Structure formats: structure tokens, C-alpha cells
């Protein structure tokens, strides 16, 4: 879909993902904003050094679920992207813990519980909310009303943060979806919103080749 719209499309199999065995998947424990972030940055650097037709001024990043968390973490850690898309992503590691329907994942991956004094630093270490003052990238947030894994405030909060700070942001809310988009009509709307957003922030001025940002 993105390639057909003219975008160079890159998907990086970072630490924590499937494909390289269970140890590779489990390596994300205590490293949500560590190894995966480093892999993504290294992957982008490789693409930019290997394919000169890729414009470093016009990069965008998209993610859903953990990828949505990573979009928020990218917003806190780097300004190399012209725009971001965060679908049902975690913004606050602490409030997200108390609102989820699935405690096993977060306790397993972070290594504890936020109400234990000895564990609280683990939750704050890679907490995007802790670095809210560093958010600076225009972001599209997407959330489903029936997402019980990550409740609405995990998208509403960073949207409000960016809006309050005068940074462009958009929130798309599906009142009949859960953690993913399951209805055909909503899928069309989702792709329209996402493609529209990333096209808006990577456009060049007609007949000049000058990047709009």
C-alpha cells in the first residue's frame, strides 16, 4: 500500500519480534526502548547510506500496538522523522499498566509491578510520558473504543500533549473497533487517514522540489 503510493517502505525485524528464535523475542525484557530503538535507528542509517534516492528530510515512521509505543518513544528520543503514526500505542507505562486487560505481558517484559518501589524505576526507564517535554514530531494517533489492551487515554494523552504544545496532531477514533481494525469500511478509512497524514508531511512544493517542512 505504501510503496504503491510512492513511498520507499522499510520493515525492520528488531529485537523482541519473531523470526530469530525465542531468545531473540525474549531479549526485549527490560529493553522496550533500548534494543528495538537501536535496531530501528541502525536500520534507518543503513537504508540512508545504501540508497541515495531516499531523502533523509522526508522520513516517517508508523507503528501499531508495540509499534505504537515505539512511535511515542521515537517522538521522545529523536527528531529525524517528519511525521509519525501511532496506532493503539502505549504512552504512559504506569497508567497503561493499571488500565490493561492483560497484565502478564507488561509484568513479564518490564520485570515487575509499578506499585513496588524496587520495580518503579523499570517502568520509568523507557516511559515516553517521562520525556513528554521532548516530543516534537507531528503525529497521527489512531484508537479503537473497544481496545482493552490499551485504553483510549494512551492515545488521547499524547495527542493532548502535542496540541497543548502547538505541535500538529490528529486523533482518529473508531467507536466499533478494538486493538486492530476489523471492519472493511474502517480499513479503507484507516489507510486513507494514514496515507493522507504521511503524504502531508513529506510533500514538496510543486515545480520547485523544495521540501514543505
Amino acid at each position: 500500500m505504501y510503496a504503491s503510493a510512492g513511498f520507499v517502505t522499510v520493515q525492520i525485524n528488531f529485537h523482541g519480534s519473531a523470526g530469530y528464535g525465542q531468545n531473540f523475542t525474549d531479549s526485549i525484557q527490560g529493553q522496550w526502548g533500548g534494543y528495538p530503538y537501536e535496531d530501528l535507528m541502525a536500520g534507518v542509517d543503513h537504508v540512508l547510506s545504501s540508497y541515495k534516492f531516499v531523502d533523509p528530510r522526508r522520513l516517517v515512521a508508523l507503528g501499531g500496538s508495540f509499534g505504537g509505543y515505539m512511535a511515542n518513544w521515537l517522538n521522545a528520543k529523536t527528531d529525524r522523522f517528519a511525521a509519525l503514526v501511532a496506532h493503539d500505542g502505549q504512552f504512559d507505562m504506569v497508567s497503561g499498566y493499571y488500565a490493561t486487560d492483560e497484565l502478564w505481558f507488561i509484568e513479564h517484559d518490564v520485570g515487575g509491578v509499578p506499585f513496588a518501589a524496587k520495580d518503579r524505576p523499570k517502568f520509568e526507564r523507557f516511559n515516553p510520558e517521562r520525556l513528554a517535554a521532548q516530543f516534537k514530531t507531528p503525529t497521527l494517533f489512531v484508537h479503537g473504543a473497544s481496545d482493552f489492551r490499551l485504553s483510549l487515554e494512551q492515545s488521547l494523552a499524547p495527542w493532548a500533549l502535542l496540541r497543548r504544545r502547538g505541535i500538529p496532531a490528529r486523533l482518529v477514533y473508531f467507536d466499533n473497533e478494538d486493538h486492530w481494525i476489523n471492519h472493511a469500511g474502517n480499513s479503507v478509512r484507516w489507510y486513507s487517514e494514514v496515507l493522507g497524514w504521511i503524504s502531508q508531511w513529506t510533500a514538496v512544493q510543486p515545480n520547485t522540489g523544495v521540501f514543505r517542512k
Side-chain angles (χ1 to χ4, degrees):
M1 183 66 73
Y2 308 113
S4 66
F7 289 92
V8 176
T9 304
V10 179
Q11 292 179 292
I12 297 171
N13 201 2
F14 51 77
H15 280 79
S17 58
Y20 291 102
Q22 193 62 44
N23 288 339
F24 187 78
T25 301
D26 289 342
S27 67
I28 201 173
Q29 288 181 265
Q31 283 289 333
W32 269 30
Y35 298 150
Y37 174 79
E38 294 168 7
D39 291 343
L40 291 171
M41 293 301 98
V44 171
D45 290 340
H46 173 75
V47 169
L48 291 175
S49 64
S50 301
Y51 305 99
K52 298 305 181 182
F53 54 82
V54 178
D55 189 342
R57 303 170 303 162
R58 301 166 67 199
L59 303 176
V60 295
L62 296 72
S65 193
F66 178 81
Y69 158 83
M70 185 52 62
N72 286 323
W73 190 245
L74 291 174
N75 214 333
K77 297 292 288 184
T78 180
D79 61 357
R80 74 187 305 176
F81 297 101
L84 298 167
V85 178
H87 174 105
D88 289 17
Q90 189 136 338
F91 170 67
D92 190 330
M93 299 290 288
V94 177
S95 66
Y97 172 89
Y98 292 114
T100 186
D101 68 339
E102 175 52 86
L103 292 174
W104 186 89
F105 285 115
I106 190 72
E107 292 183 4
H108 171 269
D109 284 357
V110 176
V113 293
F115 51 83
K118 66 179 179 61
D119 295 337
R120 186 59 174 252
K122 301 176 184 178
F123 281 80
E124 295 293 354
R125 182 185 181 192
F126 295 120
N127 187 0
E129 191 280 333
R130 180 176 60 84
L131 303 177
Q134 298 176 197
F135 276 51
K136 59 181 71 70
T137 304
T139 304
L140 169 66
F141 299 95
V142 184
H143 217 96
S146 297
D147 184 357
F148 301 115
R149 186 59 43 85
L150 290 164
S151 53
L152 175 61
E153 83 275 358
Q154 295 299 314
S155 289
L156 186 60
W159 171 81
L161 163 68
L162 292 181
R163 296 283 291 184
R164 176 63 179 83
R165 298 187 59 219
I167 301 167
R170 179 171 172 80
L171 174 64
V172 177
Y173 176 69
F174 290 96
D175 63 4
N176 61 341
E177 297 291 2
D178 49 36
H179 196 53
W180 304 113
I181 303 300
N182 301 299
H183 297 81
N186 289 341
S187 182
V188 172
R189 177 63 182 272
W190 190 94
Y191 278 105
S192 296
E193 291 282 352
V194 170
L195 285 171
W197 184 259
I198 62 177
S199 296
Q200 172 186 346
W201 293 102
T202 56
V204 295
Q205 298 176 18
N207 305 319
T208 67
V210 177
F211 179 41
R212 69 176 302 278
K213 189 177 182 182

